[in-house]
Amino acid sequence: KKRIGILTSGGDCAGLNAVIRAVVRHAVGTYEWEVVGICQATHGLMTRPPQIMTLGIEQVDSWLMLGGTVLGTTNKGNPFAFPMSDGTTIDRSQEIIDGYHQLNLDALIGIGGDGSLAILRRLAQQGDINFVAIPKTIDNDVNITEFSIGFDTAVSVATEAIDRLHFTAASHSRVMILEVMGRDAGHIALNSGIAGGAQIILIPEIPYKLENIYNKVRRRQKIGKNFSVAVVSEAVCTQSGETVQKMEQFGECRLGGIGQYFANEIAQATGAETRVTVLGHLQRGGISSPLDRVLGSAFGVAAVDLIATGQFDRMVTWQNREVRSVPITEAIKDYRAVDPQDTLVKTARGLGICLGDR
Ligand code: F6P
């Protein structure tokens, strides 16, 4: 009879509780193992005694659609360089490893994005932990897997926002800019922009020229469509002259509010009235979409089966309509950006959506 641990790490998203529920139902229900939920990601293993909750089938019954993570999470404090109040950092990795072993666990399931999974894998290697990973992130930028938990819900929220913006844009003859999350990748903007029928989609993977954006707005003005909706990914950078200024520090763009930059430029060049909406953390919260519940359930069951068959140091994936798994090293090598040759980029072009490069 095994005893396994599960934790959620990094930013929250919809679908996390569906994963936890599936792990508990399969591990406890099918294999009769014990499942220990670790609170606040690796922080729960740093505290003494470790902060945990024992998870039973009845307890997780109503968790399927719940947003956030009942276990709690954090994306602050890499344990290998843990920030101290005086500005220095210390290595607290051994405390986490010791905390894990105090719990007498046979294996650990970690749900995280590429950053957290890289940290968890390093801990697992150093601490001799049987580790299985499940990808989650609204950014959908974990390598290899076509979908990560949380992405579909974020796209639904952004799509609904675009739908709503269309009505007010048309009523007031305005260009409405919607700034969405995605970190360095444009998946949320591209998918929601197509789903919501945006006229302009700007993503960091496709360099733009402001003139192309103005022309799209002007062409619509000429045919009496005095409104447009533009979706802008948070990592898109400002432009000086004809060259894209790839700011070294991603943070600078977010602080400046890239949506406002486009609103100002478009207003000045086309005379259109513009307004900006920054969707922010609304994309992360709330009830999860059916797809995130299905994916979460499938990933949870598959992760438990990996443990049952002794396959560790692997991450479950969704590829070609089935759950598979790959070595975690493959998944954390790099992040998955939008490929400019991607089917959805072609779809957007075919629909006449301006991607800024032409
Ligand atoms: O990685 C998920 C994400 O929501 C990104 O899309 C966004 O850039 C970032 O996290 C926001 O982080 P925080 O919640 O720490 O502000």
Side-chain angles (χ1 to χ4, degrees):
K1 185 169 163 165
K2 289 191 196 305
R3 180 173 151 91
I4 64 169
I6 181 165
L7 59 79
T8 49
S9 183
D12 75 331
C13 62
L16 293 173
N17 294 314
V19 179
I20 300 166
R21 172 182 175 270
V23 165
V24 172
R25 284 179 80 108
H26 197 35
V28 178
T30 311
Y31 294 108
E32 297 180 358
W33 298 346
E34 242 180 280
V35 181
V36 172
I38 295 159
C39 303
Q40 305 296 334
T42 48
H43 283 255
L45 294 173
M46 275 183 198
T47 30
R48 294 293 175 270
Q51 228 187 311
I52 55 165
M53 22 170 140
T54 303
L55 300 172
I57 291 185
E58 273 169 28
Q59 195 178 350
V60 298
D61 232 15
S62 56
W63 290 16
L64 182 58
M65 77 294 281
L66 290 186
T69 162
V70 177
L71 294 177
T73 186
T74 173
N75 53 1
K76 305 259 176 310
N78 174 355
F80 292 96
F82 195 82
M84 303 301 283
S85 48
D86 64 359
T88 57
T89 59
I90 56 163
D91 183 348
R92 296 191 65 181
S93 57
Q94 198 53 46
E95 289 170 56
I96 293 170
I97 292 164
D98 292 344
Y100 171 84
H101 289 297
Q102 276 179 23
L103 294 173
N104 287 320
L105 298 173
D106 296 293
L108 177 69
I109 296 177
I111 316 171
D114 55 348
S116 333
L117 292 183
I119 291 172
L120 290 171
R121 181 185 188 258
R122 197 170 153 197
L123 287 166
Q125 294 289 302
Q126 184 180 315
D128 201 18
I129 295 171
N130 292 327
F131 181 56
V132 168
I134 297 182
K136 67 87 214 170
T137 166
I138 64 164
D139 308 330
N140 209 29
D141 59 353
V142 177
N143 216 0
I144 303 179
T145 186
E146 287 156 20
F147 287 108
S148 291
I149 308 290
F151 172 64
D152 185 64
T153 305
V155 169
S156 303
V157 172
T159 302
E160 191 192 332
I162 299 167
D163 290 345
R164 288 172 186 264
L165 288 174
H166 262 122
F167 291 110
T168 174
S171 305
H172 282 266
S173 300
R174 285 171 170 165
V175 176
M176 305 298 276
I177 319 277
L178 178 70
E179 185 181 311
V180 297
M181 283 185 170
R183 209 169 281 271
D184 293 322
H187 299 287
I188 297 178
L190 183 60
N191 283 264
S192 64
I194 291 173
Q199 283 74 38
I200 299 161
I201 301 175
L202 302 173
I203 59 174
E205 295 87 346
I206 299 183
Y208 67 91
K209 284 186 181 163
L210 285 170
E211 205 50 39
N212 296 330
I213 301 167
Y214 305 154
N215 286 339
K216 176 72 180 178
V217 172
R218 288 184 190 124
R219 275 200 304 277
R220 285 177 58 77
Q221 285 169 337
K222 257 193 207 139
I223 57 165
K225 302 239 178 198
N226 286 320
F227 67 95
S228 296
V229 176
V231 187
V232 181
S233 202
E234 63 178 341
V236 172
C237 292
T238 57
Q239 194 167 37
S240 62
E242 296 290 277
T243 41
V244 172
Q245 230 181 38
K246 261 279 168 202
M247 288 187 193
E248 288 290 292
Q249 282 161 328
F250 167 54
E252 277 182 50
C253 299
R254 288 181 63 202
L255 287 179
I258 191 65
Q260 191 60 54
Y261 165 76
F262 286 105
N264 296 346
E265 300 294 322
I266 292 170
Q268 209 178 14
T270 67
E273 204 178 6
T274 57
R275 291 287 187 274
V276 186
T277 304
V278 179
L279 202 49
H281 290 78
L282 288 174
Q283 292 156 101
R284 294 233 302 246
I287 300 291
S288 66
S289 71
L291 180 60
D292 274 330
R293 297 181 206 183
V294 171
L295 197 64
S297 302
F299 278 177
V301 166
V304 169
D305 283 337
L306 283 178
I307 295 174
T309 51
Q311 300 182 68
F312 300 113
D313 202 20
R314 299 185 74 79
M315 183 187 83
V316 297
T317 59
W318 183 260
Q319 291 167 275
N320 287 333
R321 291 193 52 79
E322 65 176 14
V323 180
R324 298 183 191 166
S325 72
V326 293
I328 297 177
T329 44
E330 293 289 306
I332 59 177
K333 265 207 292 246
D334 204 358
Y335 77 98
R336 194 175 67 89
V338 172
D339 177 355
Q341 302 307 320
D342 188 274
T343 268
L344 291 187
V345 172
K346 289 183 187 145
T347 303
R349 293 198 197 287
L351 292 168
I353 296 171
C354 170
L355 296 173
D357 59 337
R358 51 181 91 147

